[in-house]
Amino acid sequence: MRKSVLWHADHIDTLRAMGRELHLLTEVPGLDVDGRFAAVTVIPAGLPVREAVDRAVAITAAEGIGTALTFAETDIHLTSLVNRRLGHAWAVPEADAIARDKRRQREFLDEHGLPTVRHAAVSSTAEGLAAAERIGYPLIVKPTHAAFSRGVALVSGPEELEGRLGDIEELARSGDGNYFTGAERTYALLEEFLPGEEVTLDGVVLFGRFHLAGVINKMHMPGPYFEEDFYTLPFRRPELEPELAGIAEAVVKHLRVEHCLFNIELRQDADGQFRVVEFSTRMSGGQNYRNLREVHGIDVVRLYVKALGADGHEEVWAGETPRLPARRATCITYAYRTGVVLRNTPGQAALSPHFQSYVPVARPGDRLRRAPEGYDIAGSLSVAGPYREPADVDRIEAVAAELDRRLDVLVVPAPPALPAGGAG
Ligand SMILES: Nc1ncnc2c1ncn2[C@@H]1O[C@H](COP(=O)(O)OP(=O)(O)OP(=O)(O)O)[C@@H](O)[C@H]1O
Ligand SMILES: [Mg+2]
């Protein structure tokens, strides 16, 4: 996991509880003191994929490591390439390459007649402006390879589109965040706007078959920017679950994946029909994994890891909890703040019986910005309560908002930027 392991503490705990010895490959220095890993190798940031694969394969040979694993979006393709080199036929790099590229996802959905939107991939502002006339405003513009909604915007006319395309081109050129490798044919995607409700669905593919973990409600985001917040469980509209799981199943079938974690985001069009926003061969980040387990019992990381080393389907399910009807309500809220961080801890929020965990992301001295300047959060707070009736989902959301206010996150206004050459 090249960028960070912060988001995946629960996933790592599961691997450790299964008795696995972990060797971390990362770009982040200083993790060799983290006792969860038997060994840590730091590679330079932004290595070309082929070189990173060679480095990983060399470590597996030296250390007798059998399998590569990741939970991070930007590493799914690399990890599959490593597993292929290790001789694992279940690794399907082609599926991960599609998942890493929003343009290829749209082409894939078209090809297989799956619910998608009108779209155009572009590699220049002129191309973008021409394509926009065909799709019609308002429309969504986004980078083909980013995450955390970075660069995603709803635009209502050509002037705005031009500005947004310029920003995306800059992100693509910068190599920032390992999103773009420099080898991409196009950097931006224009899409028809889906105005309705949005969900994110997680599951696991075992022996080519999709198993649902749960459908997570998301806060409605009307645009123009899409800062995400309030991921709640269980799904408010369980009657729609079979339809949504059916779309996931169809995607998985055509991807021809054998074993993988799987996430798909869907949003309703003006007629209320769910269409795919994006999908990936990994699961939702952060505390969603633990919340799916708390709410529905099923442990997708355990099942996935068991499948990687198993001969048959039965063996994987032996002793495991199947997916259960909802038994708890959970909510994740992102601590959005603006300014320079002085302190960032859970504070009094941790004393609440609803408190599950707080993952601080920002460090003292970091500057936090809101969209469109930045998509920064101080941290991610997860809370839980009982589930007896649908109104409990609203209740746990209100609890999350209240505990967010009790976090010990102190920020001060950022100093104004100095005029060019004014630093003297
Ligand atoms: N065609 C669309 N219509 C309506 N909203 C959209 C569309 N595409 C994206 N969005 C909104 O923007 C958000 C981010 O878009 P998308 O998932 O494509 O980018 P991302 O950077 O991979 O996001 P993340 O990593 O946060 O999931 C979506 O969750 C959705 O709310
Ligand atoms: Mg997304």
Side-chain angles (χ1 to χ4, degrees):
M1 297 208 279
R2 285 176 295 173
K3 286 200 294 200
S4 165
V5 288
L6 210 64
W7 260 164
H8 303 107
D10 296 325
H11 310 60
I12 292 167
D13 280 352
T14 295
L15 301 178
R16 294 175 58 234
M18 292 175 80
R20 304 299 156 123
E21 194 172 283
L22 307 178
H23 189 128
L24 177 67
L25 185 73
T26 181
E27 292 177 351
V28 183
L31 290 175
D32 44 338
V33 294
D34 184 332
R36 293 174 299 173
F37 305 105
V40 176
T41 303
V42 181
I43 57 170
L47 272 188
V49 172
R50 269 179 51 189
E51 261 176 67
V53 170
D54 286 344
R55 297 283 278 262
V57 171
I59 294 166
T60 61
E63 307 281 334
I65 293 166
T67 307
L69 263 183
T70 190
F71 301 107
E73 168 74 23
T74 41
D75 294 328
I76 53 178
H77 185 234
L78 179 112
T79 304
S80 265
L81 292 173
V82 174
N83 280 320
R84 262 297 153 103
R85 291 265 296 270
L86 292 174
H88 296 307
W90 47 255
V92 187
E94 177 60 9
D96 305 290
I98 293 171
R100 277 302 296 129
D101 183 339
K102 290 176 204 278
R103 173 183 66 87
R104 292 198 61 191
Q105 289 185 44
R106 288 289 172 217
E107 290 168 0
F108 169 92
L109 294 167
D110 281 341
E111 185 188 336
H112 299 289
L114 296 165
T116 184
V117 290
R118 287 198 307 280
H119 59 91
V122 302
S123 53
S124 74
T125 301
E127 234 184 296
L129 291 169
E133 295 306 320
R134 294 196 299 276
I135 294 175
Y137 293 97
L139 54 80
I140 291 279
V141 56
K142 59 171 81 170
T144 44
H145 292 68
F148 292 109
S149 302
R150 245 181 101 171
V152 182
L154 175 65
V155 298
S156 53
E159 250 169 60
E160 242 179 289
L161 178 61
E162 215 173 317
R164 292 284 134 214
L165 285 171
D167 295 345
I168 295 173
E169 189 177 353
E170 208 177 294
L171 171 68
R173 280 185 208 280
S174 70
D176 205 14
N178 288 341
Y179 295 128
F180 287 87
T181 63
E184 295 78 12
R185 275 199 282 136
T186 49
Y187 57 81
L189 193 63
L190 310 187
E191 290 182 359
E192 169 191 352
F193 176 55
L194 299 166
E197 291 297 324
E198 181 168 330
V199 297
T200 182
L201 179 156
D202 282 291
V204 60
V205 182
L206 308 169
F207 303 93
R209 228 190 109 202
F210 177 75
H211 301 268
L212 178 68
V215 183
I216 303 171
N217 311 291
K218 285 172 84 168
M219 180 183 74
H220 180 69
M221 295 167 290
Y225 307 111
F226 297 89
E227 285 179 337
E228 312 195 24
D229 211 347
F230 293 109
Y231 294 85
T232 56
L233 280 166
F235 186 31
R236 290 178 198 274
R237 303 188 59 191
E239 71 282 5
L240 296 180
E241 223 170 67
E243 177 197 329
L244 298 176
I247 298 173
E249 256 169 56
V251 172
V252 159
K253 183 181 99 191
H254 293 296
L255 280 177
R256 300 165 185 268
V257 277
E258 177 81 359
H259 309 305
C260 69
L261 297 167
F262 187 75
N263 171 260
I264 184 165
E265 296 180 317
L266 303 120
R267 197 163 157 131
Q268 287 171 307
D269 63 17
D271 299 324
Q273 291 300 309
F274 275 98
R275 314 242 214 122
V276 178
V277 173
E278 63 165 339
F279 58 82
S280 191
T281 52
R282 46 109 192 145
M283 70 178 306
S284 285
Q287 297 125 316
N288 284 302
Y289 159 54
R290 173 156 169 207
N291 289 355
L292 287 162
R293 227 168 59 198
E294 297 283 348
V295 174
H296 290 296
I298 185 168
D299 186 338
V300 286
V301 170
R302 257 185 81 85
L303 288 163
Y304 169 55
V305 172
K306 281 174 84 174
L308 298 185
D311 299 327
H313 206 165
E314 289 300 316
E315 203 177 311
V316 170
W317 284 98
E320 298 300 322
T321 312
R323 181 170 188 262
L324 303 171
R327 46 189 194 168
R328 291 185 93 185
T330 56
C331 180
I332 294 168
T333 182
Y334 288 160
Y336 282 103
R337 304 289 190 275
T338 311
V340 176
V341 179
L342 296 187
R343 214 165 55 219
N344 186 13
T345 79
Q348 304 288 331
L351 300 176
S352 162
H354 292 289
F355 180 84
Q356 296 275 109
S357 61
Y358 179 66
V359 180
V361 178
R363 292 165 178 279
D366 285 352
R367 180 170 175 186
L368 304 180
R369 280 169 275 230
R370 301 289 302 253
E373 282 76 34
Y375 290 79
D376 309 318
I377 56 172
S380 179
L381 170 69
S382 178
V383 301
Y387 183 74
R388 296 184 195 98
E389 52 172 350
D392 285 327
V393 178
D394 300 326
R395 290 189 188 108
I396 201 65
E397 209 173 279
V399 166
E402 162 60 21
L403 288 189
D404 177 319
R405 289 190 283 275
R406 284 203 256 152
L407 292 169
D408 178 35
V409 182
L410 185 62
V411 290
V412 293
L418 290 168

